[in-house]
Amino acid sequence: MKIRHTLYCSPLLLTPVFSAQAGECDNAAVPATTPGSDFEVLGDGSTVRHEPTGRVWARCSLGQEWNAATESCDGTADNFHWRDALEEVADINANGGFAGHSDWRVPNINELESIVERCKHAPAINEEIFPDSSTYFYWSSTPSVALSNDNTRAWQINFQDGGVSMAGRASDTFYENLVRIVRDTDGQ
Amino acid sequence: MFRSPNLFTMNSQVGYAGLACLLLAIAGCSSSSSSSSGDSGMLGLNDTGVDWCGDDDANNLSCPVTSFPGQDGDSGRDAAARDGDLDKLGEGDAGFDFIKLDGDGEHLPASATDHTCVLDNVTGLMWEVKQTGTGDLRYADHSYSWYNPDADVNGGDAGIEDGGFCALSDCDTHAFVNAVNAAGLCGYDDWRMPTVSELNSIMHRGVTGDVAIDTDFFPNTVADYYWTSQTSAQDGNEDRAWQFDFSIPEFSASTAWRTGKNQLKQVRLVRNTP
């Protein structure tokens, strides 16, 4: 059985998917969840389409700027309270949009989880696709539920390891996270 | 009745070959454009179950909420279902679209109460439904240690054999998968451990109750942790794997985090459909 699939795979060994060290797994015996072949780079390179989900992602975090010459993200990512993150993206859409579109969103928790690279650690993301990415927490747009009626939290992902957890969403908390914006595409 | 007694007759050959590539740990192995993401085989992304909106301190508000624009409940499958604009093949709460299956894998009406498996029409994944009898192979409260002898995918640490408390199999994840495949659950023998993304896909984050899942389709879900197939990628943490929590927390919690492979957790198996 293995011989059959070795034959299937071996011609492709000559054309590595990952062109940079940044996309390789930290542990080669943990299956990759977001191989570079799952992404199509769009336009000026500032966005990518994730084929398995049909979502388009900004390659830089909010606050950073895409540098097409170096294929990297310049500047420092901004931290936002949950509400400010939602309003910041609404402002982007209302003021000319980004990468030719005005329907960007803070990702819901399932969308955000779909770009976690579980064969990598610190950051747990494919850095060839998402360069200069942070190992800190990123917001989802999904508010959370707790039995104590503590409805003051929202779901987040720690991109140091890819853990999914909650953080305070009220504007008077100290929880200020990073944001990577997403949009839908037709056909998914 | 086995519908797919031979893996090579399955229609998911592309996905299987892709998995084999990963098993061989070849970083340069490309997946076909029709293949799906990484180790997972999901056809599409489920929504979260949150079909309401929130503000600073309240849930279950009507969408949209002024000054909290573009949040989860404003768009997606859950919002479409709420607004009566979502077509489903089956049924399910919010944007979920499930079909109940009997022990032979035949479709049952959504009103059935004694189903064995569930087909998710959005992700294309088929799920095991846990049982209530303590002596059953698939009893809901059985616990298992994490074990996978395949050095190409176990992160370099096989884990612990037979460490849990269960019936009719050794009480580790590898033995349980083998036992369920030998039994031909719902007519199939290609059941496997799920990834974080796959368990996450059936979490229902919109409900309050014991567990964050559509309990009509997934009864006997315990408010506890379920093992995933995935080992921690952090150097020196190969003895840990990802677990996934379906309980609704008292205050605040994590749903996906890493714990020792010797820990005893629940298991819910999954398989791909063509």
Side-chain angles (χ1 to χ4, degrees):
Chain A
M1 189 184 294
K2 270 198 170 177
I3 290 170
R4 177 192 179 99
H5 294 296
T6 302
L7 290 172
Y8 177 91
C9 296
S10 55
L12 301 167
L13 280 171
L14 302 173
T15 55
V17 171
F18 299 118
S19 59
Q21 187 80 15
E24 292 179 359
C25 291
D26 291 335
N27 186 329
V30 175
T33 50
T34 58
S37 56
D38 278 355
F39 294 88
E40 177 188 1
V41 175
L42 304 176
D44 63 354
S46 63
T47 60
V48 287
R49 185 176 190 274
H50 186 220
E51 301 295 345
T53 60
R55 301 302 197 276
V56 170
W57 291 90
R59 297 177 75 181
C60 302
S61 306
L62 284 189
Q64 293 178 317
E65 196 163 335
W66 174 249
N67 185 326
T70 59
E71 297 193 338
S72 61
C73 298
D74 293 341
T76 306
D78 290 333
N79 293 67
F80 300 89
H81 283 115
W82 190 66
R83 168 183 181 165
D84 293 339
L86 296 171
E87 292 200 306
E88 175 71 12
V89 178
D91 283 348
I92 290 170
N93 289 331
N95 291 284
F98 168 68
H101 295 277
S102 300
D103 55 356
W104 295 95
R105 297 179 287 107
V106 177
N108 70 40
I109 190 62
N110 291 3
E111 291 170 330
L112 190 59
E113 200 283 331
S114 76
I115 59 166
V116 173
E117 177 47 74
R118 296 204 182 272
C119 78
K120 281 178 50 57
H121 182 82
I125 199 165
N126 186 330
E127 292 170 276
E128 184 189 18
I129 303 301
F130 302 107
D132 305 300
S133 195
S134 172
T135 59
Y136 196 59
F137 293 90
Y138 281 73
W139 278 127
S140 81
S141 66
T142 307
S144 67
V145 173
L147 292 177
S148 61
N149 292 319
D150 171 35
N151 296 324
T152 61
R153 291 168 189 269
W155 292 100
Q156 63 178 1
I157 289 182
N158 180 355
F159 274 84
Q160 181 174 48
D161 68 349
V164 182
S165 59
M166 301 173 179
R169 73 176 193 240
S171 300
D172 59 355
T173 68
F174 69 84
Y175 295 106
E176 294 184 275
N177 289 349
L178 306 177
V179 178
R180 184 185 302 285
I181 58 176
V182 69
R183 56 179 294 270
D184 295 294
T185 56
D186 294 333
Q188 185 77 34
Chain B
M1 175 194 68
F2 278 74
R3 290 188 172 171
S4 57
N6 183 335
L7 287 169
F8 291 122
T9 66
M10 293 168 56
N11 289 329
S12 57
Q13 277 203 351
V14 172
Y16 185 66
L19 179 63
C21 296
L22 290 166
L23 288 173
L24 293 167
I26 299 167
C29 180
S30 175
S31 62
S32 152
S33 60
S34 63
S35 180
S36 213
S37 63
D39 62 325
S40 176
M42 291 197 287
L43 300 177
L45 210 52
N46 262 341
D47 209 343
T48 63
V50 176
D51 60 2
W52 39 264
C53 282
D55 61 13
D56 259 358
D57 54 13
N59 282 349
N60 298 304
L61 303 176
S62 295
C63 300
V65 173
T66 303
S67 298
F68 293 83
Q71 59 181 287
D72 191 332
D74 283 313
S75 63
R77 292 182 56 87
D78 296 331
R82 176 192 64 214
D83 299 338
D85 294 331
L86 186 67
D87 292 328
K88 299 183 185 182
L89 292 171
E91 295 188 28
D93 205 14
F96 292 106
D97 185 354
F98 300 125
I99 292 175
K100 295 176 180 178
L101 308 175
D102 69 14
D104 293 324
E106 300 295 334
H107 291 197
L108 293 170
S111 58
T113 56
D114 190 24
H115 57 295
T116 308
C117 298
V118 166
L119 176 62
D120 186 326
N121 294 309
V122 179
T123 63
L125 297 175
M126 187 180 293
W127 291 95
E128 172 201 2
V129 173
K130 306 306 291 190
Q131 294 177 297
T132 55
T134 57
D136 290 333
L137 171 65
R138 297 182 297 102
Y139 175 50
D141 274 327
H142 283 162
S143 65
Y144 304 85
S145 53
W146 195 99
Y147 179 65
N148 186 346
D150 187 341
D152 291 329
V153 295
N154 67 14
D157 187 317
I160 306 293
E161 281 187 87
D162 198 21
F165 298 93
C166 69
L168 304 179
S169 75
D170 281 352
C171 302
D172 61 65
T173 56
H174 182 66
F176 181 66
V177 168
N178 286 342
V180 169
N181 282 327
L185 177 64
C186 290
Y188 295 95
D189 62 356
D190 56 355
W191 294 92
R192 58 178 174 77
M193 292 292 294
T195 63
V196 172
S197 295
E198 289 168 339
L199 285 176
N200 187 69
S201 77
I202 55 170
M203 186 172 187
H204 188 337
R205 287 183 161 84
V207 291
T208 53
D210 291 335
V211 286
I213 200 166
D214 188 335
T215 53
D216 179 33
F217 286 86
F218 295 99
N220 314 321
T221 299
V222 294
D224 208 335
Y225 306 99
Y226 287 76
W227 278 125
T228 74
S229 61
Q230 293 158 309
T231 293
S232 166
Q234 183 178 12
D235 188 32
N237 269 242
E238 298 80 9
D239 60 345
R240 290 171 177 253
W242 286 93
Q243 60 177 349
F244 197 91
D245 182 7
F246 280 96
S247 68
I248 294 176
E250 181 68 22
F251 183 64
S252 179
S254 298
T255 50
W257 48 298
R258 301 170 290 154
T259 195
K261 292 176 177 178
N262 61 337
Q263 298 295 302
L264 308 184
K265 307 295 173 187
Q266 270 68 38
V267 174
R268 183 193 301 283
L269 300 187
V270 71
R271 61 176 294 276
N272 293 82
T273 62

